[in-house]
Amino acid sequence: MQLFSIGLYRLNPDGSQQLDGNGNPIPSYDDNDIEALSRTFTGWFADGDSMTAPMVAHDAWHDMGEKLVLGKTVSANLGADEELDVVLEILLDHPNTAPNISRLLIQRLVSSNPRPAYVQRVAEVFTNTRGDLEAVVRAILTDPETLLEHDLHVAKLREPILALCYVYRALAAFPKGGGDIVYNSMNYAESCQQYPLGADSVFNFYQPDDSPQGELADNGLAAPEFKIVNWSQSIKLSNVFYKLARTYGQDRNKSNSKTELYIAPLELENAIEEWRLADAFRLLAATFLNGEMSSQLTERLQAICEAHSVNRRQDAVWKIIFFTVFSPEFMVME
């Protein structure tokens, strides 16, 4: 209930908290609901020794008694499988579920601080489609709110590992040796302070409302990804970007190692070799910056390129890649 459906406190349709007469948030469930849900999920076991196959219901071990879940009566003598469907319907129909899940999805996909009206529009799609996540995600990504530019309520920091994955994909990174996997992958936990299925708890790597001290917290704005992004982590991630851009970009024809990822940004290399800097910068902007590069970053990349002699132009390629992918313009989505 806390993590995957209704959340801790009662919500309005726009995701804002309902408050009691003393201005305190109202719990959305109590100990009795927790006990009833615990009884509902009795009788489920792993399918043999498998840790990946769906669990199997055994009614002989299921609590068949009547239960009261969130004010709804669940009849007695229902098998584990049938009762699970009933309870999931109760959770789906709860007025908290649509705004709670909609807000969390918006935070992960678009903005750390979505406006209430944005949450409510998405929640209405969730309700009308009975939780069709394809329709909900489409509503999130096509909402007019996403077209606002340079808006504090349409921005989020990239998680380190997602930033890294984006760069790998954008540069078409590949392992050498004719393989399709990297056999000695980088230490994601060390470089990113996160790795797939590696959160310290079921609450993920951070809370959705986490905010670093300073201007963001003072203005009541969340920036949860900063929980795992600090100077130490930033330096480590920048080293990964640096090595990918320089070493594995230059050594792609010299090494056949299956333990590293290489890049071959031929279009960018050709643009720099032919001194078509405007084309090179447009390519970087289209690849990493949603098509828009600031004048400050453009001037920095221009200076980097002009510092190289004619016979050293290729040395500028990895540098402008590095400065682009580690710039705030890439790391902050807006």
Side-chain angles (χ1 to χ4, degrees):
M1 291 185 288
Q2 178 179 354
L3 295 177
F4 305 123
S5 55
I6 67 177
L8 288 174
Y9 302 107
R10 293 184 188 176
L11 302 176
N12 294 308
D14 63 4
S16 59
Q17 289 185 356
Q18 297 181 14
L19 305 178
D20 62 20
N22 296 318
N24 298 315
I26 304 170
S28 55
Y29 57 89
D30 57 25
D31 289 346
N32 292 325
D33 295 310
I34 295 173
E35 181 180 346
L37 259 293
S38 300
R39 294 170 56 205
T40 291
F41 286 98
T42 55
W44 289 91
F45 294 88
D47 186 1
D49 295 329
S50 175
M51 297 296 290
T52 58
M55 298 179 74
V56 178
H58 295 270
D59 288 346
W61 297 96
H62 176 61
D63 184 332
M64 293 285 190
E66 181 180 276
K67 305 170 185 69
L68 187 66
V69 178
L70 299 171
K72 306 290 185 180
T73 299
V74 178
S75 303
N77 300 317
L78 294 180
D81 207 355
E82 183 181 3
E83 187 169 294
L84 176 60
D85 288 339
V86 171
V87 169
L88 290 179
E89 290 292 321
I90 292 174
L91 292 172
L92 177 63
D93 291 332
H94 192 282
N96 263 30
T97 301
N100 185 47
I101 292 180
S102 296
R103 184 176 186 275
L104 291 172
L105 286 174
I106 293 172
Q107 282 191 298
R108 301 282 66 76
L109 297 174
V110 175
S111 171
S112 297
N113 299 278
R115 289 183 173 87
Y118 183 12
V119 175
Q120 184 162 355
R121 289 192 294 271
V122 175
E124 289 172 354
V125 173
F126 186 103
T127 299
N128 293 337
T129 63
R130 294 194 59 73
D132 182 339
L133 291 185
E134 180 180 353
V136 172
V137 171
R138 183 182 297 111
I140 290 172
L141 298 180
T142 60
D143 191 272
E145 194 87 354
T146 63
L147 300 178
L148 299 178
E149 296 183 355
H150 310 300
D151 190 301
L152 286 175
H153 292 275
V154 190
K156 70 183 296 292
L157 181 70
R158 292 185 193 272
E159 294 181 55
I161 199 167
L162 296 184
L164 184 60
C165 289
Y166 186 108
V167 171
Y168 282 159
R169 288 172 173 168
L171 292 174
F174 58 91
K176 292 300 290 290
D180 56 3
I181 63 172
V182 179
Y183 288 91
N184 184 25
S185 59
M186 59 165 285
N187 187 342
Y188 295 104
E190 176 70 15
S191 302
C192 300
Q193 292 200 32
Q194 59 178 171
Y195 61 94
L197 304 180
D200 291 337
S201 74
V202 295
F203 297 100
N204 200 5
F205 298 97
Y206 44 74
Q207 295 292 315
D209 295 321
D210 281 341
S211 180
Q213 294 181 352
E215 188 174 355
L216 288 170
D218 293 343
N219 285 278
L221 295 172
E225 293 82 5
F226 274 108
K227 190 76 173 180
I228 55 174
V229 173
N230 51 41
W231 282 115
S232 175
Q233 182 279 324
S234 295
I235 291 171
K236 293 173 182 176
L237 185 61
S238 73
N239 288 338
V240 175
F241 287 149
Y242 181 93
K243 195 172 185 181
L244 177 71
R246 181 178 185 179
T247 305
Y248 302 145
Q250 295 180 340
D251 290 352
R252 63 180 181 267
N253 296 320
K254 303 174 185 177
S255 172
N256 206 35
S257 172
K258 296 182 180 180
T259 65
E260 306 294 355
L261 282 170
Y262 298 81
I263 61 171
L266 300 179
E267 188 175 356
L268 181 62
E269 290 174 349
N270 291 336
I272 293 297
E273 187 65 36
E274 297 167 6
W275 211 239
R276 293 182 286 108
L277 297 189
D279 289 341
F281 299 159
R282 278 195 292 269
L283 179 60
L284 287 171
T287 304
F288 298 107
L289 308 178
N290 198 30
E292 181 180 0
M293 182 182 292
S294 70
S295 58
Q296 293 93 332
L297 182 56
T298 301
E299 292 169 3
R300 175 64 64 88
L301 301 186
Q302 180 92 23
I304 290 173
C305 292
E306 292 177 350
H308 291 76
S309 61
V310 173
N311 62 345
R312 296 293 301 276
R313 285 177 177 173
Q314 288 304 311
D315 286 342
V317 175
W318 67 265
K319 294 178 182 178
I320 62 175
I321 290 175
F322 172 74
F323 271 88
T324 300
V325 300
F326 204 64
S327 70
E329 294 175 39
F330 172 70
M331 294 302 295
V332 177
M333 300 169 57
E334 60 175 349

